[in-house]
């Protein structure tokens, strides 16, 4: 009888948290933009909760007018420091294959994996069209086109893997003091790679990593990106599609991996969630609404009037939504122009509005709170999970047991506080349900994630 599946959980470390407005809360800290201790605390908290890893996203563009991208600490420096104050926690390093060189990245990965005892993973991104003009920061450094970036990513990953795992034999250190031979003859190997984008001789001038294979993470929605993931990756940072569509996407991803002769259970599907957590559901919804209230929705009343078929121009925005709107009269796609990132398993917009009112902002929510929610939802990249420990655990367990996901990457909306709440309230609930570890069961990140070797 095979052991029961358990969740994989990672925690994102950003200077002010993930939510673009929650830093304005009186209890939130903005010091993380200049004080490393804020996100070092994230690593301590993650290990205290027995989480698998911390992810500190990197960025190469210059975007001083965007809060969530104004400062991005170098994630290798961060992980090196944070590894020294932790023992079991893994670290996912993000690099951009369109700009960075595989030899330099392989040296960093092997160094970090040796220093932290095998707790490193690699997130390969290959976008070149992001805001902030990253191309402008790299001068005449050759950058691929949209058409060639995937071929470069494949070469990049192939070279990194070969440098890491084919440069040296495991028994390279002979230490023959009498004979005067330190390194075993023939224990190192040139990879002698010549491709369209890279020429790399090798071997790597760093000892091989502790892990037999450093796990690789894949992101992206294009067919080329998905094919890359099936060929090279052990984890996928996936969008969340809801229950019904999510099950279909999950199954398709696993089938891609199986078609390559790999064990699909070793390939993990990990969407991100932003969580708004409190001691009670009502308190969590109130905090979520407090954050939403920082945004102004000047044009939304008119747009919502048209969508709902109700003239809201003469209705005070302090009125309760359900006292003004007859949900049964809403058209199937009435809210589509307002909320583009919608849960994939809702049948129509009547069900969508009910879900927003019951699980996000509360059935007693006012029109003003609905305006703010819609304004935020138009730009959400991942779902907001709002509630107490039981509600959040219910959401995780349902999606896990329905095979929508193998785990989640947790994005605290602000610092400090939410990450500790998750560890103190939700983790014990998941442990009681038997779907999350009570102790670390492996010494390497590869072992914790239960991934395969792909060279």
């Amino acid at each position: 009888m095979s052991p029961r599946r358990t969740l994989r959980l990672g925690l994102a470390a950003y200077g002010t948290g993930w939510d673009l407005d929650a830093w304005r809360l009186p209890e939130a800290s903005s010091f993380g933009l200049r004080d490393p201790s804020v996100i070092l605390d994230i690593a301590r908290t993650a290990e205290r909760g027995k989480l698998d890893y911390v992810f500190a996203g990197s960025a190469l563009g210059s975007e001083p007018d965007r809060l969530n991208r104004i400062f991005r600490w170098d994630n290798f420096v961060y992980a090196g420091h944070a590894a020294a104050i932790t023992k079991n926690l893994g670290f996912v390093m993000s690099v951009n294959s369109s700009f960075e060189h595989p030899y330099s990245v392989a040296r960093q990965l092997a160094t970090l994996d040796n220093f932290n005892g095998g707790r490193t993973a690699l997130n390969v991104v290959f976008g070149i069209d992001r805001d902030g003009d990253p191309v402008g920061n790299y001068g005449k450094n050759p950058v691929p086109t949209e058409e060639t970036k995937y071929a470069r990513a494949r070469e990049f990953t192939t070279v990194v893997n070969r440098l890491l795992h084919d440069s040296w034999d495991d028994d390279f250190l002979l230490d023959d003091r009498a004979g005067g031979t330190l390194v075993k003859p023939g224990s190192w190997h040139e990879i002698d790679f010549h491709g369209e984008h890279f020429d790399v001789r090798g071997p790597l001038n760093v000892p091989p990593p502790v892990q037999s294979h450093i796990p690789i993470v894949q992101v992206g929605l294009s067919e080329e990106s998905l094919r890359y993931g099936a060929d090279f990756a052990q984890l996928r940072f996936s969008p969340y599609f809801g229950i019904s569509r999510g099950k279909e996407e999950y199954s398709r991803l696993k089938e891609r991996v199986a078609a390559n002769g790999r064990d699909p259970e070793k390939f993990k599907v990990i969407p991100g969630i932003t969580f708004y957590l409190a001691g009670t559901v009502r308190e969590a919804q109130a905090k979520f609404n407090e954050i939403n209230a920082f945004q102004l929705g000047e044009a939304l009343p008119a747009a919502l009037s048209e969508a709902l078929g109700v003239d809201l121009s003469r209705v005070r925005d302090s009125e309760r939504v359900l006292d003004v709107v007859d949900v049964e009269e809403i058209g199937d796609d009435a809210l589509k122009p307002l909320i583009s990132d919608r849960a994939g398993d809702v049948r129509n917009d009547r069900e969508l509005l009910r879900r927003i009112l019951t699980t996000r902002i509360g059935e007693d929510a006012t029109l003003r709170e609905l305006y703010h929610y819609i304004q935020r939802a138009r730009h959400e990249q991942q779902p907001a999970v709002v509630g107490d420990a039981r509600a959040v655990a219910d959401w995780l367990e349902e999606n896990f047991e329905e095979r929508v996901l193998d785990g989640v990457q947790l994005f605290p909306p602000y610092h400090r506080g939410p990450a500790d709440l998750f560890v103190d309230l939700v983790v014990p609930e998941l442990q009681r349900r038997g779907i999350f570890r009570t102790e670390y069961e492996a010494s390497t990140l590869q072992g914790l994630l239960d991934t395969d070797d792909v060279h």
Side-chain angles (χ1 to χ4, degrees), residues 123-311:
N123 173 37
V124 179
V125 299
F126 23 88
I128 58 175
D129 53 351
R130 298 191 177 194
D131 294 339
D133 187 23
V135 176
N137 287 332
Y138 280 76
K140 296 182 180 179
N141 185 53
V143 176
T145 65
E146 283 295 318
E147 291 72 29
T148 62
K149 68 181 183 182
Y150 298 105
R152 175 170 166 137
R154 286 177 166 275
E155 278 194 21
F156 175 93
T157 308
T158 298
V159 173
V160 166
N161 279 337
R162 290 186 58 186
L163 286 169
L164 288 173
H165 305 295
D166 297 339
S167 289
W168 293 92
D169 295 338
D170 290 337
D171 60 350
F172 72 92
L173 184 60
L174 185 61
D175 196 20
D176 179 4
R177 303 188 183 200
T181 304
L182 178 62
V183 175
K184 180 180 177 181
S187 63
W188 57 270
H189 312 281
E190 295 180 357
I191 69 167
D192 197 27
F193 182 91
H194 301 284
E196 181 181 356
H197 299 275
F198 302 108
D199 289 301
V200 181
R201 183 194 64 191
L204 194 64
N205 64 346
V206 176
V210 172
Q211 299 178 99
S212 64
H213 185 83
I214 288 182
I216 291 177
V217 182
Q218 176 260 335
V219 296
L221 293 171
S222 69
E223 176 61 28
E224 292 88 346
S225 176
L226 294 172
R227 190 178 299 121
Y228 169 94
D231 289 342
F232 291 101
Q234 286 76 36
L235 283 83
R236 168 166 165 75
F237 286 166
S238 172
Y240 178 73
F241 298 103
I243 297 289
S244 59
R245 183 184 168 193
K247 291 171 67 173
E248 296 171 359
E249 295 293 335
Y250 179 95
S251 179
R252 277 195 284 267
L253 288 169
K254 299 284 186 167
E255 289 170 359
R256 281 178 178 268
V257 172
N260 280 4
R262 299 171 54 193
D263 181 354
E265 292 300 314
K266 300 288 186 180
F267 181 88
K268 304 300 189 294
V269 179
I270 312 285
I273 66 169
T274 308
F275 60 96
Y276 301 82
L277 176 66
T280 68
V281 171
R282 185 176 292 274
E283 289 172 340
Q285 292 173 339
K287 183 60 62 178
F288 187 55
N289 289 333
E290 182 181 357
I291 295 169
N292 285 344
F294 290 127
Q295 295 198 27
L296 298 177
E298 298 175 358
L300 279 175
L304 197 59
S305 293
E306 182 177 352
L308 301 179
V310 178
D311 183 4

Side-chain angles (χ1 to χ4, degrees), residues 33-44:
L33 292 183
R34 60 184 303 170
D35 181 355
S37 72
V38 175
I39 59 172
L40 289 173
D41 279 352
I42 291 291
R44 292 188 182 94

